[in-house]
Amino acid sequence: MSSTPSRTEKANAIRALSMDAVQKANSGHPGAPMGMADIAEVLWNDYLKHNPANPDWADRDRFVLSNGHGSMLLYSLLHLSGYELPIDELKNFRQLHSKTPGHPEYGYAPGVETTTGPLGQGITNAVGMALAEKVMAAQFNRPGYELIDHHTYVFMGDGCLMEGISHEACSLAGTLGLGKLIAFYDDNGISIDGEVEGWFTDDTPKRFESYGWHVIPGVDGHDPAAIKAAIEEARAETGKPTIICCKTVIGFGSPNKQGREECHGAPLGDDEIALVRETINWPYAPFEVPEAIAESWNARGKGEAQEDEWKDILADYREEFPDLAAEFERRMSGELPADFLLKADEYIKQCQQGAEKIASRKASQNALNAYGPLLPEFLGGSADLAGSNLTIWSDSKGVTADDASGNYVYYGVREFGMSAIMNGIALHGGFVPYGATFLMFMEYARNAVRMAALMKQRVIFVYTHDSIGLGEDGPTHQPVEQLTALRATPNLHTWRPCDATESAVSWKAAVARKDGPSALIFSRQGLAPQQRDDVQLAQIEKGGYVLADCDGTPDAIIIATGSEVELAMAAKEKLGDKKVRVVSMPCAELFMEQDESYRESVLPSAVRARVAVEAGHKDYWYKFVGFDGAIIGMSSFGESAPAGDLMKYFGFTVDKVAEAVDKLLK
């Protein structure tokens, strides 16, 4: 080895660390890291703007490994470039509580920008990050002050491009002109089942040209000069996102397994690793990186200098634009405006005092009109249903390729793409993203919702047309099991408010929540306002509370959400002098997070006669009513008919609720 390590030697450090870690774990994917090592070496050493000493620097470049199964590539890069990821963590790859899980997970190792693994979502998160960069730059940059000026780089493979979400996201990225998004396509021709020519023959360059991307085809992914030239060309194109199509050999350096599926998702084996060491001239022990190579990778000094230059820009910007600078720093910190919670509470009281019968989707829009002016960090949107979801508020302004200073994204019919893009926006920082579709079409976006919860991101999913109550469009559009699926998702708060007041509270709670996403479920049909005192008003934020009570200990409890709360209240009145309590439970997960004494005060264990009423899948409610209780809910799909007819047909009537209570009390 020369005193100045060559590019090949530096790339071989990635190959060696990756194959050694996979071998020690006896599990993992060595092929992609070995195949993409040369591309990564050029990008990270010559172009990536980052500071390993401060992984949260606001103007850093974002790097996303969309083909997340190749996680040892990212862990090797983070370790070598100077992040707090010591060699012992690489030796602990894929082990319990290590910082190096099998797929990159946000929040474990510093420098991991997003959780990847479900293919296609990484590139889509990257679109969200690039969109956030463009909008932030349009909102905050001023002549002479490029406060926000960074790139988003993403590695992706054949699997990411086969997933339909990549079409949704990359199509929109081209339309919005995300010129600082640069994707590297690892065109190695191999997936788990073998050579992809049997199932993936797309002309990828033409596909991306049709999206409006700048395409650089046919780059030798093992030629540093060609890679460097491609990156220079990509960075020079500022009006379009760029895809660099790199021909690589999976498992490069493995004499018997490179270019074959065998090295995709399994350790190479001790004998093959010994041959790799000979082939790439790496005569070092497992996990050993010579000092000269390690030092050539260390990016701490360079990164600190880059951040210092940016801090000088920020200092000058703060002097000339103090209010803007303070707003920028507040938004990037994730803190809400100081007066938001107070003003939100004032609005909630107004809703209670001026109650009227309206659909909760309209109540949601009213809340947006109240909260939107208080929250410049709002970045809203809808999957081509703005007129139905009612997500546009009075000061909404669309984001376009030519003017990105707005606060609303027209996502088109791209529910999955929208949801994963919002995850990327939230991860970037500076925004509270919300996006809407019909509750039924949450199914298209299900995995992105799960990823938001897994990453604990403040993302707000708005779902309207929440039950069979949407009527004539029929069972294809009528959600039944979706509420249960959402509530079963760890770390997701699912709100189904019963009137305008609860709708306003749900928005406040979702915005204020910092440790996870929220799903807000709104109706198409009008919902009657409910009366509450100040105590009840405050208890809405506990997820469940006593809306109407009786003297003494109740004989029966009716639990309801959304449009069915009105039914529960009418049933209580019909039951006359029977001692019945009505509990509104707009957010069951939040209710379960309350202390035991509060839960007992709302649902006393001594009261066994319980009826749950919700126009969704009934099985969820057994946890609250027990096997001895009754549930008025759905156990089948819906039908096509006017909403009133459907509600009567499926048993959502005052008489049915009252009968269920009477039966339990006999």
Side-chain angles (χ1 to χ4, degrees):
M1 184 179 68
S2 62
S3 58
T4 303
S6 67
R7 286 193 180 277
T8 298
E9 288 170 325
K10 289 189 281 187
N12 284 341
I14 297 173
R15 295 187 172 100
L17 288 173
S18 298
M19 68 180 183
D20 288 342
V22 171
Q23 188 65 32
K24 187 174 188 300
N26 196 30
S27 171
H29 301 73
M34 297 174 74
M36 300 192 79
D38 297 302
I39 306 168
E41 188 280 321
V42 175
L43 175 63
W44 277 62
N45 283 315
D46 289 14
Y47 294 99
L48 196 70
K49 183 177 72 171
H50 64 127
N51 182 7
N54 180 16
D56 298 323
W57 170 27
D59 200 41
R60 69 190 182 279
D61 290 339
R62 271 64 170 178
F63 175 80
V64 174
L65 184 69
S66 188
N67 44 343
H69 54 269
S71 57
M72 268 311 304
L73 172 65
L74 179 54
Y75 299 146
S76 298
L77 289 165
L78 295 172
H79 168 72
L80 290 167
S81 58
Y83 286 80
E84 290 295 329
L85 192 66
I87 195 69
D88 285 347
E89 290 291 349
L90 274 62
K91 293 178 180 178
N92 208 25
F93 178 53
R94 286 184 161 231
Q95 305 309 301
L96 184 63
H97 301 316
S98 74
K99 293 184 179 180
T100 52
H103 291 82
E105 292 190 41
Y106 178 79
Y108 280 63
V112 174
E113 299 284 3
T114 181
T115 299
T116 55
L119 294 176
Q121 287 198 63
I123 174 62
T124 310
N125 294 163
V127 170
M129 293 173 187
L131 175 59
E133 190 275 344
K134 182 166 184 170
V135 177
M136 286 289 285
Q139 291 180 355
F140 285 98
N141 287 355
R142 295 295 182 268
Y145 294 94
E146 297 296 309
L147 189 65
I148 303 297
D149 183 16
H150 54 265
H151 286 80
T152 301
Y153 297 101
V154 57
F155 283 6
M156 60 183 180
D158 293 299
C160 290
L161 294 183
M162 282 187 263
E163 290 284 1
I165 191 175
S166 70
H167 162 74
E168 296 183 28
C170 295
S171 169
L172 186 61
T175 298
L176 295 177
L178 302 182
K180 289 181 181 173
L181 173 63
I182 299 176
F184 296 81
Y185 166 36
D186 181 30
D187 183 10
N188 61 31
I190 296 293
S191 66
I192 290 176
D193 280 350
E195 297 181 6
V196 301
E197 62 184 12
W199 47 86
F200 184 55
T201 57
D202 298 15
D203 188 330
T204 297
K206 286 185 179 178
R207 171 185 165 187
F208 276 78
E209 285 174 8
S210 76
Y211 293 154
W213 284 53
H214 176 55
V215 178
I216 305 175
V219 175
D220 183 345
H222 301 296
D223 180 351
I227 297 164
K228 187 175 179 66
I231 296 174
E232 289 286 344
E233 181 181 337
R235 287 168 58 92
E237 173 55 72
T238 59
K240 300 178 179 180
T242 295
I243 182 171
I244 302 174
C245 302
C246 300
K247 290 295 294 184
T248 66
V249 177
I250 190 172
F252 185 86
S254 173
N256 295 307
K257 296 188 177 183
Q258 69 177 20
R260 298 166 59 188
E261 184 276 327
E262 286 88 335
C263 67
H264 168 83
L268 297 179
D270 291 330
D271 292 343
E272 187 68 12
I273 284 177
L275 293 175
V276 173
R277 282 187 153 79
E278 292 180 14
T279 302
I280 68 175
N281 191 25
W282 191 263
Y284 312 109
F287 298 102
E288 179 185 342
V289 178
E291 185 177 348
I293 294 179
E295 185 56 37
S296 71
W297 267 103
N298 195 311
R300 284 199 164 222
K302 179 182 177 182
E304 289 173 355
Q306 288 176 321
E307 185 174 357
D308 285 343
E309 289 180 14
W310 179 80
K311 285 179 177 177
D312 290 340
I313 296 173
L314 177 59
D316 293 341
Y317 181 89
R318 187 182 293 113
E319 188 171 326
E320 187 160 351
F321 307 104
D323 292 342
L324 271 178
E327 179 68 2
F328 167 75
E329 292 177 313
R330 179 192 69 77
R331 283 176 54 175
M332 290 305 295
S333 75
E335 295 298 323
L336 295 176
D339 60 351
F340 171 72
L341 295 179
L342 179 63
K343 291 187 175 180
D345 285 339
E346 292 174 355
Y347 174 71
I348 291 166
K349 289 181 180 178
Q350 291 173 15
C351 288
Q352 186 62 48
Q353 292 164 0
E356 58 178 329
K357 183 169 185 174
I358 57 174
S360 56
R361 62 171 174 161
K362 179 59 179 175
S364 167
Q365 186 179 49
N366 292 345
L368 284 171
N369 276 309
Y371 298 160
L374 308 174
L375 296 167
E377 53 264 64
F378 257 168
L379 187 55
S382 174
D384 201 52
L385 288 168
S388 295
N389 299 146
L390 303 184
T391 45
I392 292 179
W393 54 284
S394 57
D395 289 335
S396 291
K397 175 185 175 183
V399 173
T400 67
D402 296 329
D403 182 3
S405 64
N407 58 7
Y408 193 88
V409 181
Y410 290 91
Y411 284 102
V413 187
R414 300 180 177 98
E415 295 90 352
F416 194 4
M418 172 184 72
S419 302
I421 286 171
M422 288 197 295
N423 290 346
I425 292 169
L427 288 159
H428 177 279
F431 296 98
V432 175
Y434 70 86
T437 185
F438 291 169
L439 177 56
M440 183 66 249
F441 302 128
M442 176 279 294
E443 295 291 354
Y444 283 134
R446 177 79 181 92
N447 201 257
V449 177
R450 183 178 189 271
M451 295 299 284
L454 184 63
M455 293 189 286
K456 300 179 180 179
Q457 291 303 296
R458 179 160 51 188
V459 179
I460 303 174
F461 301 101
V462 179
Y463 299 124
T464 67
H465 296 61
D466 67 341
S467 73
I468 58 170
L470 71 88
E472 292 87 344
D473 280 336
T476 61
H477 284 54
Q478 292 167 1
V480 171
E481 70 276 26
Q482 285 65 41
L483 281 167
T484 297
L486 290 168
R487 288 171 178 148
T489 305
N491 201 44
L492 176 67
H493 285 176
T494 301
W495 288 84
R496 188 171 184 247
C498 75
D499 64 2
T501 301
E502 285 190 359
S503 297
V505 171
S506 71
W507 267 107
K508 174 198 169 186
V511 169
R513 188 180 184 213
K514 294 183 179 180
D515 61 352
S518 301
L520 309 185
I521 316 299
F522 298 121
S523 71
R524 178 191 185 190
Q525 68 271 33
L527 306 183
Q530 302 299 327
Q531 298 302 308
R532 302 171 183 87
D533 60 27
D534 289 344
V535 172
Q536 291 170 310
L537 202 60
Q539 288 175 340
I540 296 173
E541 292 190 44
K542 294 181 181 291
Y545 64 101
V546 178
L547 179 61
D549 212 354
C550 57
D551 293 331
T553 302
D555 294 323
I557 300 174
I558 306 173
I559 308 168
T561 78
S563 50
E564 288 67 68
V565 169
E566 185 176 349
L567 276 181
M569 294 292 284
K572 173 181 169 58
E573 184 175 348
K574 183 178 179 63
L575 288 162
D577 57 1
K578 289 188 173 66
K579 297 171 67 175
V580 176
R581 169 180 292 182
V582 174
V583 170
S584 176
M585 195 172 289
C587 184
E589 305 85 14
L590 197 52
F591 176 74
M592 292 304 296
E593 292 175 13
Q594 305 306 310
D595 60 55
E596 184 178 355
S597 63
Y598 178 75
R599 298 199 308 269
E600 179 69 15
S601 72
V602 176
L603 297 176
S605 53
V607 181
R608 308 295 294 174
R610 301 182 185 186
V611 177
V613 190
E614 184 176 67
H617 197 272
K618 64 195 302 183
D619 285 0
Y620 174 81
W621 290 101
Y622 282 114
K623 67 188 291 182
F624 291 107
V625 304
F627 292 135
D628 297 330
I631 303 168
I632 297 175
M634 298 293 294
S635 55
S636 69
F637 295 118
E639 296 284 350
S640 177
D645 294 345
L646 288 172
M647 286 299 190
K648 183 177 181 180
Y649 176 76
F650 284 105
F652 296 100
T653 66
V654 174
D655 287 344
K656 289 291 185 181
V657 178
E659 287 172 13
V661 173
D662 274 332
K663 185 175 180 180
L664 290 176
L665 292 178
K666 286 181 180 177

